[in-house]
Amino acid sequence: MSEAARPDPAATRRPGGGGDIGRRVALRRERLGLSREDVAGRAGTSPSYLRYLEESPADPGTGFLLRLAAALDTSAAELRGGGVGLPPGLGQAGSRPDLVELTPRECYDLLSTHGVGRISVSTSKGPSILPVNYSVMDDAVVFRTAPDASPAAAAGAEVAFEVDHIDEALSEGWSVLVVGRAQRVTDPEAIRRVAADAYSKPWPGGSRELCLRIDPTRVTGRRIRVH
């Protein structure tokens, strides 16, 4: 390892670790639109160490993690994944919030940044809301599922699809709602394109051969900002 890439003295290597903190740091930094240089300057470390942290299984010391969390406008607990098993929205409401309606273009811009949303379907057991990995292609929402999985019940029906983001540290967030008819994608080239352009394979794993497309008839969204 070169001198520039050596770990910060405040961090220790975690044997067999999966780099969870680093992935959360990188995701938070990217969501804020910050470079490694920006965050490193705020946290009092070097860009090379921040790169090491994001790409390697490291366990930073508490003091450094607190500085890093402050630089990313979040908490050390969030960077450690302390809220992974909890539902979103446990933060306190902001003192001066604004609820802003989003334009359709703003909604599409936000849709294109995320990869997990929720779809409403009617099943033999009643209405359900289910998470799916999705992509946006030609202003349509597309996702893959198994033919015998619950999301497959959306085929041929008018559905609601929702995606959101909540910032616990800032008590801000947004949500986008897409309403439209879900149809099976049967063209082989279109199916190949959906698989090739997807940000991620479906998280549940297994064979997800059924491809569905939601052509929106209505797209709305809201954002909460705190002053």
Side-chain angles (χ1 to χ4, degrees), residues 3-221:
E3 189 67 30
R6 289 186 183 278
D8 187 287
T12 58
R13 187 82 175 205
R14 180 178 59 193
D20 293 345
I21 291 177
R23 285 193 289 272
R24 293 188 186 101
V25 167
L27 181 60
R28 179 66 180 169
R29 177 176 61 78
E30 290 166 3
R31 284 177 175 171
L32 294 175
L34 299 174
S35 68
R36 286 192 178 121
E37 288 74 14
D38 295 330
V39 176
R42 293 182 181 185
T45 189
S46 65
S48 62
Y49 173 64
L50 190 60
R51 179 178 180 179
Y52 166 82
L53 176 62
E54 291 183 358
E55 297 178 356
S56 304
D59 187 9
T62 301
F64 174 74
L65 194 62
L66 288 171
R67 298 199 308 272
L68 184 58
L72 293 168
D73 293 324
T74 187
S75 67
E78 286 295 319
L79 294 181
R80 287 194 180 277
V84 167
L86 301 175
L90 297 180
Q92 297 295 314
S95 58
R96 296 172 56 198
D98 277 343
L99 183 61
V100 180
E101 297 290 332
L102 300 174
T103 67
R105 189 66 265 161
E106 288 173 323
C107 289
Y108 276 113
D109 288 343
L110 291 170
L111 274 172
S112 66
T113 65
H114 279 58
V116 176
R118 284 162 290 280
I119 187 168
S120 67
V121 295
S122 295
T123 70
S124 59
K125 297 181 180 179
S128 295
I129 299 175
L130 305 163
V132 293
N133 296 89
Y134 77 95
S135 299
V136 176
M137 295 176 56
D138 303 325
D139 285 345
V141 174
V142 296
F143 65 94
R144 290 182 293 160
T145 187
D148 58 349
S150 295
E158 185 178 46
V159 299
F161 177 85
E162 190 264 354
V163 63
D164 57 47
H165 173 67
I166 295 175
D167 189 322
E168 300 279 0
L170 302 181
S171 299
E172 296 183 340
W174 57 261
S175 65
V176 171
L177 178 67
V178 175
V179 175
R181 185 164 294 277
Q183 302 287 354
R184 293 173 182 262
V185 178
T186 57
D187 178 68
E189 177 58 27
I191 294 174
R192 185 204 64 77
R193 183 184 168 201
V194 168
D197 293 349
Y199 174 77
S200 169
K201 294 180 179 179
W203 286 7
S207 178
R208 304 281 155 175
E209 300 174 354
L210 177 61
C211 183
L212 296 179
R213 171 188 176 105
I214 305 172
D215 290 300
T217 57
R218 178 162 56 93
V219 179
T220 57

